[in-house]
Amino acid sequence: DRAIEIYENALKSYEELDDPFGKADVRINLGSVYDGKGEWEKALHLYEEALTISKKLQNNERIARAYSGLAAIHEKKGNWNLAFEFYQNVLKLYEDLGNRIGMASTYGSLGWILHRKGESEQAFQYCQKSLEISTAIEDEIGKAATYTTLGAIDSELKNYDQAVQSYEMSLEIYKELKSPAGMAANYNNLGIMYLKQGEHDKAIRVCEQSLAFSTKLGDQQLESYTYTILGMVHSDRRDWANAMQFFEKGLMIKEALKDDYGLAYSHGEMGAMYMNKQDWDEAEDFLLESLRSFSNLGAKIDASRVLGYLKELTTISELKGDQARVMRLEEAIRENQSHLSSAVTGQLLE
């Protein structure tokens, strides 16, 4: 890629000049490029090097940017406790610096993680704080990101009309900003909402719009989620062949990315598909794998959804007289409910 070539040449120049500020800045920028390409290990290495250099310089702005890059990747990988810790470090630094754009963005990121961990009330507080700052300083990117998180919260609360409204508000801002990544993500979000409302054709249409952007950007994570959503839509239509084709496409990308959260999400939705097909063995395997992963990640919202599928499968197994499966499922449900109840959660805003 041209961007990588430019930054690597710049990094060589700064290394020769022994310019620590330049070395830190280029590593952060290059890390961002690799992050966008889904090459997370390379990005993590660059952010860690930038953090070490910035700490030696005692330059809080660069320390915050390096921590923010690390947090964003750990968030994508599903390492939410670590991401939350890094974002808290970033927030403190930006507060000390008086960087309101950075504060708004970080409040939003913390809100998103809390939402995924099932702490909806706290997540809403952080989002309101982000929106308040973004609106005051006319930070359109911050507003768009916060509307996306608010849409996700309303979606989980089954306030679907409000969720669609928030996603559409975010989408419109990203359109004005000409942000293809932002548009792609919100088309995906709308695809899930239309699926939940039974509007399959609309869901497919917005997913196709998302794919047009994510494939052009080379954003493999976004692309993989679109394939998963399309798999869910076709599963809901009982079109098993197309559902499996899309699920497998998404799964292949997530495996290559080592996207632990994404893999757990795909396994859960594939398990739901096998339940619809009445293939109980495959359903059990995929759902239990998904539940174990979500529980280890502390993803309460997602684990609760999978637990719902497993409880339904337990009821079906009881009716079929399959006591061996009932015992296996009940043990797994008890174990994972206990694990989730002891998961570390974020702190309330003061």
Side-chain angles (χ1 to χ4, degrees):
D1 283 358
R2 181 62 178 153
I4 291 174
E5 181 184 345
I6 290 170
Y7 283 130
E8 285 183 342
N9 287 335
L11 187 57
K12 287 178 184 176
S13 297
Y14 285 125
E15 294 286 359
E16 291 170 1
L17 293 168
D18 195 23
D19 179 346
F21 294 98
K23 287 191 283 187
D25 287 341
V26 173
R27 280 177 167 83
I28 291 169
N29 292 334
L30 188 53
S32 180
V33 175
Y34 279 121
D35 179 7
K37 289 172 62 66
E39 297 186 43
W40 292 337
E41 297 309 314
K42 287 183 180 179
L44 282 172
H45 180 67
L46 287 160
Y47 285 137
E48 285 164 357
E49 288 185 335
L51 182 62
T52 299
I53 296 168
S54 300
K55 283 183 174 180
K56 286 180 181 177
L57 292 170
Q58 297 183 330
N59 186 290
N60 285 347
E61 182 69 40
R62 288 176 172 84
I63 293 171
R65 289 174 60 206
Y67 267 133
S68 189
L70 288 167
I73 293 176
H74 284 297
E75 177 187 337
K76 291 176 181 177
K77 288 169 69 69
N79 302 329
W80 289 334
N81 287 338
L82 185 56
F84 193 88
E85 179 185 332
F86 284 153
Y87 278 132
Q88 285 182 314
N89 292 341
V90 174
L91 182 60
K92 179 66 169 64
L93 289 163
Y94 280 143
E95 285 175 339
D96 291 343
L97 291 164
N99 184 332
R100 298 174 77 193
I101 291 178
M103 288 166 59
S105 173
T106 308
Y107 274 123
S109 297
L110 288 165
W112 174 255
I113 293 173
L114 287 168
H115 159 62
R116 297 318 308 169
K117 287 166 66 68
E119 307 293 336
S120 295
E121 184 177 341
Q122 296 178 54
F124 184 76
Q125 290 181 44
Y126 276 93
C127 286
Q128 288 300 110
K129 191 71 174 176
S130 175
L131 198 57
E132 176 186 320
I133 298 171
S134 298
T135 302
I137 62 177
E138 298 183 351
D139 173 18
E140 295 301 300
I141 292 176
K143 285 168 63 177
T146 304
Y147 281 132
T148 297
T149 302
L150 288 170
I153 293 171
D154 277 315
S155 174
E156 293 297 340
L157 295 173
K158 296 184 169 54
N159 300 329
Y160 296 147
D161 290 341
Q162 184 61 47
V164 169
Q165 182 180 342
S166 293
Y167 287 142
E168 287 178 342
M169 289 172 73
S170 180
L171 179 61
E172 287 307 309
I173 294 173
Y174 282 127
K175 283 180 178 178
E176 290 173 9
L177 295 171
K178 295 181 172 58
S179 168
M183 287 187 279
N186 276 284
Y187 280 129
N188 274 351
N189 293 330
L190 287 168
I192 292 175
M193 295 314 305
Y194 292 141
L195 169 60
K196 288 181 177 182
Q197 294 174 320
E199 299 186 66
H200 295 148
D201 290 340
K202 274 189 176 182
I204 291 171
R205 186 162 60 249
V206 292
C207 283
E208 288 172 348
Q209 289 175 290
S210 179
L211 275 177
F213 286 115
S214 59
T215 52
K216 186 175 181 179
L217 285 169
D219 190 323
Q220 295 183 77
Q221 189 181 43
L222 269 176
E223 184 181 348
S224 72
Y225 276 97
T226 309
Y227 286 135
T228 302
I229 297 165
L230 286 166
M232 293 160 64
V233 174
H234 286 289
S235 175
D236 207 46
R237 282 182 156 179
R238 304 297 194 267
D239 179 355
W240 311 125
N242 273 319
M244 182 57 73
Q245 180 183 354
F246 283 118
F247 277 135
E248 288 180 345
K249 277 186 176 181
L251 205 57
M252 282 178 60
I253 297 172
K254 292 182 176 80
E255 286 172 348
L257 291 173
K258 298 180 181 178
D259 178 359
D260 293 336
Y261 173 81
L263 287 168
Y265 189 89
S266 288
H267 289 150
E269 294 307 323
M270 291 175 77
M273 178 192 69
Y274 281 118
M275 279 189 65
N276 289 335
K277 289 182 68 177
Q278 299 186 10
D279 186 337
W280 312 123
D281 290 338
E282 291 286 356
E284 179 183 355
D285 289 346
F286 275 96
L287 290 173
L288 288 176
E289 178 64 27
S290 176
L291 182 61
R292 281 191 291 268
S293 299
F294 280 141
S295 295
N296 289 335
L297 291 168
K300 291 185 180 180
I301 290 286
D302 300 281
S304 295
R305 184 179 66 255
V306 177
L307 279 168
Y309 293 144
L310 285 167
K311 288 175 181 177
E312 183 181 347
L313 182 56
T314 303
T315 301
I316 292 168
S317 300
E318 285 176 340
L319 293 172
K320 292 172 65 66
D322 188 345
Q323 289 305 311
R325 194 190 307 279
V326 170
M327 290 176 67
R328 287 196 304 273
L329 294 175
E330 286 181 341
E331 182 180 357
I333 290 168
R334 280 195 303 272
E335 178 185 337
N336 284 279
Q337 282 180 325
S338 174
H339 182 79
L340 282 169
S341 66
S342 63
V344 176
T345 60
Q347 300 296 313
L348 279 167
L349 275 171
E350 296 180 358

